[in-house]
């Protein structure tokens, strides 16, 4: 997943590598500062029965070898871990996404102006024992807003935030370009990092590779790329969500079968796992596990290369969406844990409204659109990521397109290979992949800008940004960002989402649930979230 960070071309490769869009990064050095150089281990660190001295073992279905820099990362593992290691001025509840005071002492009540002042929590310290100060806050925001530094977080802040200013050692002011109440929930994306650690030469590279020093309830104790990352409760934490587990061991197990095996049966070595395959839900429930889903923005999308004819014709793009039997896809591939898309936004999003163009299954309409576009004998090779549930969905797309006379070939590949081809501007026709912007937040402005923008990487991949309808769309999106009236803003967003639906350049086919499983006999307070990873800040031993 990429963001509207407007990267100049020379920065694309490094940005993609470090944010995880190219999949697993290359093997990392075992001699990282603050990271264990001992042997890699995926073993339980002990104490599976709970209790004060027990270690919680979690299984994460994503790699831990993406970037760990909070200003850079889109890695599911790293983002979930960083929620436990770092704090923002405000953080958000993992389910409701409502902001709450984290490093700051309170949430601003007046959102009508262009100045937010925050007092830092008294006694807050980083994991190395140094106090958290206003200088650390300014340090992080200066990095995010630096025009010469390309970060993922920049796309979430630069449109509305002018600067961060130190008032005194424990007080900071955020100066806004215009009133922007939605910015409160985005403050959790600016994790406060110690200036005395990360201002050193090479320190940002160390952060990318796994070095993590925050002020949150857990401190990182070891990091083994492609294996596991361990944590322990931070004794100096005095914030609102204290640690309930003395130690945690998070295993990265990307393959589904061993991931499920790790939490199955009497000898299960873990108490919780995310990214549970639908086929294993009943098995795990019968074994006494709680398995719950989170329905959100997770989706299978199609992206068309609009420079490759006939995909420059909107009628062709629409025809291929109308042709897909999404009901069958939900029933067979997703086993009922999903819905056909009725908008770019999922139905649970507060700003959702069914788009004016909804791609209900209509093969006859698809044929008529292709005829109107003068297209016949079309052959398509779908370049797809090999994420397991995406691969399960591909046969339905092939069967649907074959049925309207479009000869279809499936080419699932490692995520690295797919995005490398696009980054290198290699020719392609259609990409099928997964996306979930909900890990960054729920507000529709953020989600839509994540995918659409004049210099956005997604739009560069689709090669569509120069089209007149695209240029007008981007202007409408920027006007909606600045709109102060909440109801008017929502209507403006819904209007331009209609344009996105009609154009179908990058558009979801289905939205699906992400499943989490845990042992209710050992853990309580777990809530399944609708985006990758886990959040254990309110969980505890049963």
């Amino acid at each position: 997943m990429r963001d509207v960070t407007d990267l100049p071309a020379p920065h694309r490769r490094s940005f993609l590598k470090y944010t995880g869009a190219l999949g697993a990064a290359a093997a990392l050095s075992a001699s990282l500062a603050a990271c264990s150089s001992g042997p890699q281990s995926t073993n339980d660190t002990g104490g599976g029965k709970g209790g004060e001295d027990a270690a919680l073992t979690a299984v994460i279905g994503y790699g831990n070898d993406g970037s760990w820099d909070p200003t850079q990362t889109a890695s599911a593992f790293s983002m979930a871990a960083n929620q436990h290691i770092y704090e923002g001025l405000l953080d958000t509840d993992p389910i409701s996404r409502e902001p709450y005071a984290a490093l700051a002492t309170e949430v601003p009540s007046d959102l009508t102006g262009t100045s937010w002042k925050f007092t830092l929590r008294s006694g807050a310290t980083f994991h190395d024992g140094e106090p958290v100060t206003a200088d650390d806050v300014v340090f992080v925001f200066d990095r995010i807003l630096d025009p010469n530094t390309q970060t993922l977080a920049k796309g979430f802040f630069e449109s509305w935030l002018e600067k961060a200013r130190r008032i005194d050692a424990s007080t900071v002011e955020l100066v806004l370009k215009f009133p922007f109440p939605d910015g409160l929930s985005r403050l959790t994306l600016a994790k406060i990092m110690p200036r005395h650690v990360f201002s050193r030469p090479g320190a940002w590279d160390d952060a990318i590779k796994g070095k993590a020093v925050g002020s949150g309830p857990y401190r990182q104790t070891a990091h083994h790329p492609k294996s596991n990352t361990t944590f322990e409760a931070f004794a100096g934490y005095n914030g609102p969500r204290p640690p309930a587990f003395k130690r945690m061991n998070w295993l990265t197990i990307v393959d589904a079968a061993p991931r499920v095996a790790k939490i199955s049966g009497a000898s299960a070595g873990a108490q919780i796992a995310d990214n549970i395959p639908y086929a294993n839900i009943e098995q795990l429930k019968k074994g006494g596990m709680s398995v719950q889903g989170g329905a959100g923005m997770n989706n299978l999308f199609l992206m068309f290369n609009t420079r490759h004819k006939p995909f420059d014709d909107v009628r062709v793009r629409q025809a291929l969406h109308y042709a897909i039997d999404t009901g069958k896809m939900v029933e067979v591939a997703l086993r009922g844990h999903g819905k056909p898309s009725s908008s770019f936004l999922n139905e649970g999003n507060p700003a959702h409204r069914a788009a004016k163009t909804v791609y209900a299954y209509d093969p006859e309409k698809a044929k008529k659109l292709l005829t109107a576009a003068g297209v016949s004998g079309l052959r398509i090779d779908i370049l797809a990521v090999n994420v397991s549930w995406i691969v399960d969905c591909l046969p339905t797309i092939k069967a649907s397109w074959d049925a309207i006379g479009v000869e279809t070939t499936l080419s699932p590949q490692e995520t690295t290979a797919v995005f490398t081809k696009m980054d290198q501007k290699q020719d392609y026709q259609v990409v099928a992949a997964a996306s979930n912007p909900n890990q960054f937040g729920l507000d529709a402005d953020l989600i839509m800008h994540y995918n659409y923008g004049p210099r956005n990487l997604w739009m560069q991949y689709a090669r569509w940004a120069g089209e007149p309808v695209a240029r007008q769309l981007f202007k409408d999106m920027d006007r909606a960002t600045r709109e102060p009236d909440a109801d008017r803003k929502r209507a403006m967003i819904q209007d331009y989402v209609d344009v996105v639906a009609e154009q179908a350049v990058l558009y979801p086919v289905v939205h699906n649930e992400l499943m989490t499983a845990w042992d209710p006999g050992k853990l309580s307070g777990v809530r399944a979230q609708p985006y990758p990873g886990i959040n254990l800040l309110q969980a505890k031993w049963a």
Side-chain angles (χ1 to χ4, degrees), residues 401-462:
W401 288 359
D402 286 346
I404 63 166
V406 176
E407 185 178 330
T408 308
T409 303
L410 304 176
S411 298
Q413 302 175 22
E414 292 287 343
T415 303
T416 302
V418 173
F419 283 93
T420 296
K421 288 181 178 180
M422 291 190 293
D423 190 56
Q424 293 176 349
K425 299 186 182 299
Q426 295 183 29
D427 191 37
Y428 74 94
Q429 294 174 293
V430 185
V431 162
S435 179
N436 194 333
N438 278 169
Q439 63 182 335
F440 303 112
L442 288 180
D443 83 76
D445 178 272
L446 179 153
I447 289 170
M448 298 309 299
H449 278 85
Y450 180 89
N451 291 277
Y452 282 83
R455 294 182 300 278
N456 177 289
L457 281 174
W458 284 123
M459 291 298 94
Q460 291 179 36
Y461 293 151

Side-chain angles (χ1 to χ4, degrees), residues 52-125:
E52 182 179 351
D53 294 329
L56 177 139
T57 299
V59 185
I60 309 297
Y62 306 90
N64 71 340
D65 55 348
S67 173
W68 281 68
D69 175 358
T71 71
Q72 289 265 46
T73 192
S75 159
F77 191 112
S78 303
M79 287 194 69
N82 283 344
Q83 293 294 336
H84 299 74
I85 296 170
Y86 292 98
E87 298 176 279
L89 289 170
L90 306 180
D91 281 325
T92 59
D93 182 85
I95 307 302
S96 72
R97 311 309 284 267
E98 287 296 316
Y100 64 89
L103 270 174
T105 56
E106 61 182 359
V107 178
S109 57
D110 182 5
L111 305 180
T112 61
T114 57
S115 173
W116 297 341
K117 290 186 175 66
F118 298 92
T119 299
L120 300 182
R121 186 176 72 236
S122 178
T125 61

Side-chain angles (χ1 to χ4, degrees), residues 41 163 202 253 322 372 439 526:
S41 172
K163 63 180 178 180
I253 305 180
Y322 279 119
Q439 63 182 335
V526 176

Side-chain angles (χ1 to χ4, degrees), residues 254-272:
V254 177
D255 292 340
R259 184 167 66 254
V260 172
K262 195 68 178 178
I263 59 168
S264 300
S267 60
Q271 297 86 42
I272 185 170

